[in-house]
Amino acid sequence: MQLLQQIDAFNLDKDYGADKAREGARKAAEFSGLDEDSFPSKQDPKENAKWWAGLSEEQRQAYLDAYPEKIGWLDGIPCAERDEANRKVVDLELAKYDMKKQNGELGIHDQRNYDGLRKLQDALDKADGTGEPSKQLYVLGIDTKHDGRAVVSQGNAETARNVAIQVPGTGNDLSNFDEQLTRVDRLQQAADDRGPKNTAVIAWLGYDAPEFDNSMGTTGRADPAGGDLRSFTHGLRQTHQGERAHMTVLGHSYGSTVVGSGASHGGGLDADDIVVVPQTISSPITRRD
């Protein structure tokens, strides 16, 4: 474990680049017998939570440094540690894009993801600077594959009395995810204006949302996304502290199809309320479980 303690992913990143940072941390982890083969074989929040709880503090830190992009998406892992992992991913991905930019290799797709990550980093810095717990942002998922995915909570979803999960739809990706953060802030403010200030609101773009094309007319993207959303909500139930939170899941546009798929299979979303707002109507339809 002494070798693991000497690995600092961010120093490696500054000196050698993002890829070298990952490589160094992974070699250190593998040297101590911690590799990808030891991850839970089932994508089950309960199994993930059990596995994580059985690790020592040093082992957890080693995994966070070596495999942040995997730990950050494991439902059932505490939000603070997922946030730590995903912030590492943001830093490492920004470093990778910065290097591409310096080398003149930043294409249009990369530029969109780069801009989205920059805006997310600005939002994180701003939230960290407020010192207000209710405005603290927790990055619960991030990657730049395809058009990018991001899951961010405003407020601590593990201690909040009320948790709302907003699932956006068509035309959303990492490049405009800052718009979802604005909506999250408005939703939280609206909840605070009507009751105790104890609500966490999550923007869940944990899937590749369709563009304005034929894909928005099918469930091809909604069905796998529904399973991921279901895992996410069950993971929040697994890690929540204290009295059971009142959970509301909101789906907008194609996000309502995702929510419907998640709610109708595999035991559902375990939500207290579901609100869907299809693109073609102006008022929400609410279903109480």
Side-chain angles (χ1 to χ4, degrees):
M1 282 301 174
Q2 185 176 2
L3 178 61
L4 290 177
Q5 294 169 349
Q6 295 173 356
I7 294 295
D8 186 326
F10 294 102
N11 284 339
L12 281 169
D13 175 57
K14 292 174 183 176
D15 295 338
Y16 303 109
D19 290 337
K20 291 294 183 181
R22 285 191 179 95
E23 182 182 347
R26 287 181 181 178
K27 283 183 177 179
E30 290 169 2
F31 180 82
S32 295
L34 306 176
D35 54 31
E36 292 183 89
D37 292 338
S38 58
F39 277 67
S41 59
K42 297 180 180 179
Q43 294 301 313
D44 182 333
K46 289 185 178 180
E47 288 295 319
N48 294 340
K50 182 179 178 180
W51 171 72
W52 192 251
L55 300 175
S56 69
E57 185 175 343
E58 286 183 337
Q59 289 173 323
R60 291 174 192 166
Q61 192 60 56
Y63 277 121
L64 287 169
D65 289 337
Y67 305 101
E69 71 284 352
K70 294 184 179 293
I71 297 297
W73 285 101
L74 278 183
D75 299 315
I77 302 297
C79 290
E81 289 162 314
R82 290 180 70 169
D83 178 61
E84 179 182 344
N86 285 309
R87 287 185 185 233
K88 289 180 186 291
V89 173
V90 171
D91 286 341
L92 292 167
E93 287 296 301
L94 282 173
K96 180 184 73 175
Y97 285 132
D98 280 333
M99 187 170 292
K100 280 189 174 184
K101 187 174 183 180
Q102 291 173 13
N103 295 333
E105 300 171 349
L106 200 64
I108 295 175
H109 184 267
D110 285 344
Q111 183 68 58
R112 288 175 59 83
N113 282 337
Y114 180 66
D115 291 343
L117 286 173
R118 278 289 173 204
K119 287 184 282 189
L120 175 57
Q121 185 62 68
D122 289 344
L124 293 173
D125 292 341
K126 181 179 179 180
D128 290 344
T130 66
E132 297 181 42
S134 65
K135 299 300 181 182
Q136 177 68 41
L137 296 180
Y138 295 83
V139 187
L140 305 180
I142 188 75
D143 71 39
T144 57
K145 297 174 183 177
H146 304 294
D147 292 326
R149 299 183 297 161
V151 179
V152 177
S153 175
Q154 182 161 296
N156 190 337
E158 290 179 349
T159 59
R161 179 66 188 87
N162 303 292
V163 176
I165 302 168
Q166 163 78 9
V167 183
T170 306
N172 286 283
D173 55 34
L174 187 57
S175 69
N176 59 17
F177 187 73
D178 58 310
E179 297 174 9
Q180 298 305 317
L181 295 180
T182 299
R183 291 187 177 93
V184 158
D185 186 55
R186 290 174 180 169
L187 284 168
Q188 188 190 59
Q189 188 60 54
D192 288 348
D193 289 344
R194 290 164 174 77
K197 296 184 177 182
N198 195 5
T199 298
V201 184
I202 300 168
W204 192 88
L205 185 61
Y207 76 113
D208 185 21
E211 295 72 36
F212 290 95
D213 56 23
N214 291 337
S215 63
M216 61 185 290
T218 74
T219 62
R221 299 196 189 186
D223 290 336
D228 291 337
L229 177 62
R230 188 164 56 247
S231 176
F232 179 76
T233 59
H234 284 258
L236 288 183
R237 292 297 193 195
Q238 186 70 30
T239 61
H240 191 78
Q241 303 170 23
E243 184 180 352
R244 176 184 167 94
H246 185 100
M247 182 184 292
T248 302
V249 181
L250 307 97
H252 178 256
S253 180
Y254 193 83
S256 63
T257 307
V258 173
V259 171
S261 179
S264 59
H265 298 92
L269 299 173
D270 198 11
D272 299 289
D273 292 292
I274 290 177
V275 181
V276 294
V277 187
Q279 190 68 39
T280 55
I281 64 173
S282 58
S283 58
I285 300 172
T286 304
R287 189 197 85 190
R288 296 191 64 85
D289 287 349

